[in-house]
Amino acid sequence: MKTPPETPLLDQVRIPADLKRIDEKELPQLAGELRAEVIDAVSQTGGHLGAGLGVVELTVALHYVFDTPNDRVIWDVGHQAYPHKILTGRRDSIRTLRQEGGLSGFTKRDESEYDPFGAAHSSTSISAGLGMAVARDLSGKRRHVISVIGDGAMSAGMAYEALNNAGALDARMIVILNDNDMSIAPPTGAMSAYLARLASGRAYQGIRDFGKKLTSYLGRGVDRAITRAVEHARGYVTGGTLFEEMGFLHIGPIDGHNLEHLVPVLKNVRDHGHGPVLIHVVTQKGKGYPPAEAAADKYHGVAKFDVITGAQSKPQANAPSYTKVFAQSLMQEAEEDERIVAVTAAMPAGTGLDLFGKKFPERTFDVGIAEQHGVTFCAGLATEGYRPFAAIYSTFLQRAYDQVVHDVAIQNLPVRFAIDRAGFVGADGATHCGAFDIAYLSTLPNFTVMAAADEAELKHMVHTAAVHDSGPIAFRYPRGNGVGVEMPERGEILEIGKGRVLREGTKVALLSLGGRLSECLKAAEELEAAGLSTTVADARFAKPLDIELIDRLARGHEVLITIEEGSSGGFGAHVLHHLAHAGLLENGLKVRPMIMPDIFMDQAKPEKMYADAGLDSAGIVRTAFAALGQAARAARA
């Protein structure tokens, strides 16, 4: 008679408290089952795979050792938190990841009490953790705070600002540096694990505390000196680090896939730790899934894929992606102008600059997750006569707004901003939505702001930006593929501040900025069929406005509708401001700005998001009917 198979350990874990009933020797088996579950789930949904596979053992160890959710575990970026979601009551819904109405692809406070801080932009975990640690101490509560940072997030200055502040406050918190690129220091096997365990244990902590107590009567300066002497003494054995100089007890590096090393160290830090502690854990991105381990990007972000082969199912497109059009257009410009250089902030593939970098490696710069530095770096290049293109997602450029204002706009430096992911971005949801750049750039003196309506217009805008030396210039374009228009051999130089008219009418004017132009053309056909003669124009520029075009549309139509993939305060607001001052709102003109709604929209298919926002052709038709007082027809539309 066959012995019935044992129940998988993962099936016995609904929440982290269930882990406590599992024998420590069985944790590697649990980790293997968890890794398989992550692979299977992401194969069905797509998403960020490599980073999560690299922290499976670390996730198990953290929830095994600490008392979550009372103890706070903060995952930096959040895309490495898929294993964490499975262990914290969300396994049953993990296959709704990044789908409409499903789990977020990042940590999210209103999704689970086990997500104490929402994160999708990097390098925030230490700052947030320090805030929680100080709040805990002010409230007289007892809990551990653990910030897990890695996957490039330590390249951002904000992380070091937080480390410096935590060290100065001598805050009781734990930072886990997840080094998954082997870029800081490799583990050195058993000896490294032994030194890590020794440094985190009672003996070393006792020496450290004894030094503090011995000198408590002699003043803080002497106390600090003796404590540092103990740290330096340890440095002769384990190697002094920048982290120690910032006031952290530095433990590691240790193998982040060896639970026999991880669990004892975490227990020691939990039971004997005082002040700030940094544990350096070395992991392998994509660990345990051969296709990911072999891939250059370690399957950082994937579409749905076949688990056996790793082959991703990407739909065939009828038009090139905007990102690829940008990259190819920039390469074309760079062939003609050796002053053109390209800068990205840790997103070479996402922005298309990996292609540019293969052709012009000496003129391509990846500054890491450091948008602030990247923008000012471009400003420095511009002062010396170069023509820098800063290729940064709209949502990430927000992180460098002061540099855009102070270092670029005030000095009127010709930095070119290529703003990818403008508008809704689908599965990445609210954190990656490019909603605000029109508003936050078009308010700045000296700036020129363009928005591409299709892939051909993007090519024109790259060429226009390349030759624009009179000040900063930005052009934005959506995520995904173009609309299938005929592509020019070479981009044209657009006249600054001038739009174009695609079809003429007399009743309704649709003035589009950016990627909604094709929906405006569809809406115009429906309006014409309903007897409403419709003009469609492409503004091209949010700043400077095409005043002549706006005035002509306002005087020649009963309804003027502006359409943009941006927040309030953007293009439509500037058009209304002009019309008000020009006195063109006093003769019965009905103006209706159409913008993205004043909410943070959760993930869904992009077309569904635009429909829900009313920014598709049906929404435009409804707006036109409503402006004309044709309520019944608006309802039918």
Side-chain angles (χ1 to χ4, degrees):
M1 189 175 193
K2 291 185 177 180
T3 304
E6 294 183 4
T7 303
L9 291 174
L10 189 58
D11 289 351
Q12 302 173 33
V13 178
R14 188 181 62 84
I15 58 174
D18 298 332
L19 281 169
K20 315 300 183 187
R21 296 193 295 269
I22 294 177
D23 190 283
E24 192 172 320
K25 294 179 181 179
E26 295 182 307
L27 293 181
Q29 177 187 335
L30 175 67
E33 294 173 6
L34 179 58
R35 178 170 279 110
E37 182 76 353
V38 171
I39 293 168
D40 185 70
V42 179
S43 76
Q44 298 177 38
T45 65
H48 294 93
L49 181 63
L53 294 182
V55 296
V56 167
E57 287 80 9
L58 179 60
T59 305
V60 169
L62 286 170
H63 284 299
Y64 185 79
V65 171
F66 292 98
D67 179 26
T68 55
N70 179 60
D71 290 337
R72 313 298 199 213
V73 177
I74 305 133
W75 295 93
D76 210 287
V77 183
H79 68 333
Q80 58 184 328
Y82 296 0
H84 159 80
K85 293 194 177 206
I86 291 171
L87 292 181
T88 54
R90 288 169 275 182
R91 184 185 180 191
D92 290 345
S93 53
I94 196 65
R95 286 163 183 78
T96 69
L97 196 67
R98 294 161 51 87
Q99 312 299 309
E100 183 179 2
L103 295 180
S104 169
F106 308 98
T107 52
K108 192 173 182 181
R109 279 175 54 82
D110 62 9
E111 186 177 287
S112 171
E113 62 179 335
Y114 292 93
D115 292 358
F117 197 76
H121 291 188
S122 85
S123 316
T124 62
S125 63
I126 305 175
S127 298
L130 179 57
M132 293 177 191
V134 169
R136 170 204 61 205
D137 295 341
L138 290 172
S139 303
K141 296 179 180 177
R142 293 184 60 83
R143 64 166 55 105
H144 296 283
V145 177
I146 306 101
S147 298
V148 185
I149 186 169
D151 203 29
M154 283 297 289
S155 64
M158 183 177 177
Y160 294 93
E161 293 173 15
L163 287 169
N164 183 60
N165 192 198
L169 293 175
D170 198 30
R172 184 165 56 90
M173 68 177 297
I174 301 165
V175 174
I176 296 179
L177 171 56
N178 171 30
D179 175 11
N180 63 11
D181 197 30
M182 305 293 283
S183 59
I184 302 176
T188 54
M191 180 57 71
S192 174
Y194 165 74
L195 292 172
R197 191 177 307 183
L198 181 68
S200 65
R202 187 185 302 274
Y204 175 71
Q205 292 289 342
I207 294 171
R208 198 167 184 253
D209 293 342
F210 176 72
K212 289 187 175 183
K213 291 176 182 177
L214 181 66
T215 59
S216 62
Y217 300 105
L218 302 178
R220 181 173 176 82
V222 175
D223 172 40
R224 182 71 172 165
I226 290 182
T227 301
R228 280 183 175 272
V230 175
E231 296 285 358
H232 284 303
R234 172 179 171 259
Y236 284 113
V237 181
T238 62
T241 69
L242 169 66
F243 305 117
E244 288 172 344
E245 294 301 320
M246 298 177 86
F248 276 73
L249 168 63
H250 178 202
I251 299 168
I254 62 175
D255 184 351
H257 300 297
N258 190 325
L259 283 158
E260 292 181 359
H261 294 171
L262 273 176
V263 171
V265 168
L266 292 175
K267 284 182 176 179
N268 281 338
V269 171
R270 178 195 66 189
D271 297 337
H272 312 307
H274 305 284
V277 180
L278 184 138
I279 306 173
H280 179 177
V281 173
V282 177
T283 63
Q284 180 185 355
K285 192 170 183 176
K287 173 73 172 178
Y289 186 50
E293 293 178 351
D297 68 347
K298 306 301 179 186
Y299 277 31
H300 174 78
V302 294
K304 296 178 183 180
F305 62 92
D306 181 277
V307 173
I308 303 300
T309 65
Q312 299 182 49
S313 55
K314 295 185 177 179
Q316 294 295 315
N318 295 321
S321 73
Y322 283 101
T323 299
K324 189 172 183 179
V325 170
F326 160 68
Q328 292 175 337
S329 300
L330 188 61
M331 286 189 287
Q332 193 175 28
E333 298 299 327
E335 287 176 347
E336 304 292 330
D337 188 346
E338 64 183 12
R339 294 170 295 175
I340 289 176
V341 295
V343 177
T344 181
M347 297 297 291
T351 59
L353 291 191
D354 56 339
L355 303 176
F356 186 90
K358 288 176 183 176
K359 190 162 189 177
F360 303 103
E362 73 286 354
R363 290 154 65 183
T364 307
F365 303 92
D366 183 350
V367 300
I369 304 176
E371 291 85 1
Q372 293 173 303
H373 158 64
V375 169
T376 304
F377 173 60
C378 286
L381 284 162
T383 65
E384 297 297 323
Y386 279 83
R387 289 175 163 174
F389 279 76
I392 302 175
Y393 292 3
S394 170
T395 184
F396 296 152
L397 187 58
Q398 295 162 186
R399 296 163 69 95
Y401 189 57
D402 181 63
Q403 287 68 32
V404 171
V405 176
H406 183 270
D407 299 334
V408 176
I410 289 178
Q411 301 187 93
N412 199 30
L413 292 171
V415 175
R416 289 91 176 154
F417 292 92
I419 304 175
D420 205 331
R421 272 46 171 195
F424 291 121
V425 293
D428 282 334
T431 58
H432 284 56
C433 176
F436 308 113
D437 58 271
I438 300 174
Y440 69 63
L441 293 179
S442 61
T443 59
L444 299 178
N446 299 325
F447 248 91
T448 296
V449 181
M450 302 181 286
D454 54 49
E455 57 269 41
E457 285 293 290
L458 176 57
K459 192 161 190 173
H460 298 323
M461 289 177 182
V462 173
H463 187 40
T464 302
V467 300
H468 184 81
D469 283 324
S470 59
I473 189 168
F475 53 96
R476 72 191 310 256
Y477 44 98
R479 181 179 190 173
N481 298 318
V483 297
V485 299
E486 185 176 349
M487 292 293 288
E489 184 67 28
R490 180 74 188 272
E492 302 172 2
I493 300 175
L494 302 178
E495 183 179 355
I496 299 299
K498 291 297 178 182
R500 58 177 178 148
V501 175
L502 284 83
R503 63 179 294 163
E504 293 277 6
T506 57
K507 188 77 169 179
V508 176
L510 305 179
L511 179 58
S512 174
L513 177 77
R516 295 288 89 194
L517 182 64
S518 60
E519 293 297 308
C520 288
L521 291 168
K522 291 179 188 176
E525 294 290 342
E526 295 183 45
L527 292 170
E528 290 280 358
L532 300 177
S533 179
T534 303
T535 296
V536 177
D538 175 15
R540 282 177 166 165
F541 292 84
K543 186 173 188 177
L545 292 175
D546 188 340
I547 301 302
E548 181 181 342
L549 174 61
I550 294 169
D551 288 358
R552 180 160 69 88
L553 295 177
R555 290 190 173 100
H557 299 80
E558 187 176 338
V559 175
L560 171 60
I561 301 173
T562 65
I563 304 98
E564 63 189 294
E565 300 164 295
S567 67
S568 66
F571 173 66
H574 287 277
V575 170
L576 276 169
H577 180 85
H578 165 70
L579 292 172
H581 281 275
L584 293 172
L585 297 177
E586 299 164 8
N587 299 316
L589 175 67
K590 301 176 179 67
V591 183
R592 299 293 185 269
M594 296 185 68
I595 61 172
M596 294 168 73
D598 190 26
I599 58 173
F600 291 108
M601 292 182 69
D602 287 333
Q603 72 269 7
K605 296 285 187 182
E607 56 269 23
K608 178 65 161 50
M609 300 179 79
Y610 281 113
D612 289 347
L615 289 173
D616 61 352
S617 60
I620 296 167
V621 170
R622 286 195 301 270
T623 300
F625 284 153
L628 291 165
Q630 300 180 22
R633 296 172 82 177
R636 287 199 302 273

